[in-house]
Amino acid sequence: MMRSLWSAASGMKGQQVAVDTIANNLANVNTVSYKSQSTQFKSLLYQTLQNQSTTANGDPKPTSVQVGLGTRVASTNTNFAQGAMTAVQSKSACAISGEGFFAITAANGSTIYTRSGDFVWALDAGGQRFLSNNNGEAVQDRTGQPIIMPDGVGVDSVGISTEGEVSYRDNTGNMVSTGQFIGLYQFANPTGLGKIGDSNYEATPASGEPIAESENPNLTPSEVIQGYLEASNVNVADEMVNLIVAQRAYEMNSKAITTSDSMLETANGLKR
């Protein structure tokens, strides 16, 4: 069986993953804080036909003859470049300017991380109002606790500083701090974060443990911007170009298969 059939087939499979990734990017072009992904490839094993090749005169050359056996998808890397800031009417919405992540207490009690600051004020079982995402999961402060609004404070009077400090306006018009700050965390390798949907991530051995910005002065602190949301960083023009490139690569691999098939047909017809 010709090697080219399997090599080209692996190329078609790889380009299909690339098209799937591009399609997912385009589908999330309007998703809050979505980060675009790109597909990376690596070559497969090489088959050695000769350990040492020769010149036209038959003299040995210090090079071997090896034939590659195709490609495979190595990874899908996430681009964590800053997205554009979009103003919204909600005063509980927050955007991050910098490399930080919000920490969220998931329904199962674990901590997950997100760049999406589309937050709302929700009520817990005891009737206290707390800051949460759209799934009702609490946003953590710097100590890992929910951010609680004092009784009798209106939603419209709550302010959030660029440092993440939560305060409210009292009856005299003065801003009073609640003593709570929205927790912001960074990772040594954010591309290693595990994606769990809803623009949420989980820490993995590849990403490293979360590093609290408030406890590490060596980090460049992020800023919290109230009343804004971070838009997707997908560049539609780039994705369309990448889509065309992936499509052409898929077509070329399919052409290699049909060419190999024609060659096999010719070889099988030699006996006639």
Side-chain angles (χ1 to χ4, degrees):
M1 184 64 68
M2 299 181 68
R3 302 180 190 87
S4 58
L5 286 172
W6 302 106
S7 297
S10 69
M12 293 179 71
K13 291 179 180 178
Q15 294 304 324
Q16 180 61 59
V17 175
V19 172
D20 291 342
T21 302
I22 295 169
N24 185 60
N25 289 339
L26 293 173
N28 286 281
V29 68
N30 290 324
T31 300
V32 174
S33 77
Y34 176 80
K35 301 302 180 183
S36 63
Q37 295 179 276
S38 60
T39 308
Q40 308 298 321
F41 300 93
K42 65 168 55 176
S43 59
L44 292 175
L45 296 174
Y46 281 80
Q47 185 174 1
T48 301
L49 304 183
Q50 288 180 261
N51 289 326
Q52 193 176 55
S53 61
T54 59
T55 65
N57 297 327
D59 298 326
K61 293 195 300 184
T63 56
S64 61
V65 178
Q66 294 179 300
V67 178
L69 299 179
T71 185
R72 72 177 180 87
V73 176
S75 64
T76 51
N77 294 345
T78 304
N79 175 20
F80 278 97
Q82 181 81 48
M85 297 294 176
T86 304
V88 294
Q89 294 182 348
S90 174
K91 291 188 177 181
S92 58
C94 297
I96 297 178
S97 176
E99 300 181 1
F101 289 81
F102 297 113
I104 306 292
T105 302
N108 60 5
S110 64
T111 299
I112 58 179
Y113 302 90
T114 185
R115 295 274 302 185
S116 175
D118 192 10
F119 300 143
V120 295
W121 291 101
L123 292 176
D124 62 14
Q128 283 188 313
R129 197 172 296 175
F130 68 99
L131 190 64
S132 74
N133 61 12
N134 289 324
N135 293 328
E137 299 165 326
V139 180
Q140 295 182 6
D141 65 6
R142 291 179 177 178
T143 64
Q145 299 301 314
I147 298 173
I148 305 298
M149 181 187 297
D151 293 337
V153 176
V155 173
D156 293 336
S157 65
V158 176
I160 301 174
S161 70
T162 55
E163 290 79 21
E165 182 181 15
V166 180
S167 58
Y168 63 93
R169 192 177 302 278
D170 62 13
N171 295 331
T172 62
N174 296 320
M175 297 302 295
V176 179
S177 175
T178 62
Q180 289 187 297
F181 290 75
I182 295 177
L184 294 176
Y185 299 84
Q186 295 187 21
F187 294 87
N189 178 32
T191 57
L193 288 168
K195 303 172 186 64
I196 55 177
D198 289 335
S199 298
N200 296 326
Y201 305 88
E202 61 181 358
T204 67
S207 67
E209 293 297 320
I211 306 171
E213 291 189 354
S214 59
E215 299 176 1
N216 194 322
N218 296 323
L219 295 177
T220 301
S222 306
E223 291 185 353
V224 178
I225 305 177
Q226 183 183 15
Y228 284 79
L229 290 175
E230 182 185 6
S232 165
N233 67 353
V234 174
N235 187 312
V236 176
D238 287 345
E239 297 300 327
M240 293 304 297
V241 171
N242 292 336
L243 184 61
I244 293 172
V245 171
Q247 179 186 12
R248 295 302 181 217
Y250 189 90
E251 291 175 353
M252 286 188 292
N253 280 284
S254 66
K255 182 63 177 178
I257 290 178
T258 57
T259 301
S260 299
D261 179 58
S262 298
M263 294 173 66
L264 286 173
E265 182 180 8
T266 301
N268 290 335
L270 290 176
K271 64 180 181 179
R272 296 174 186 169

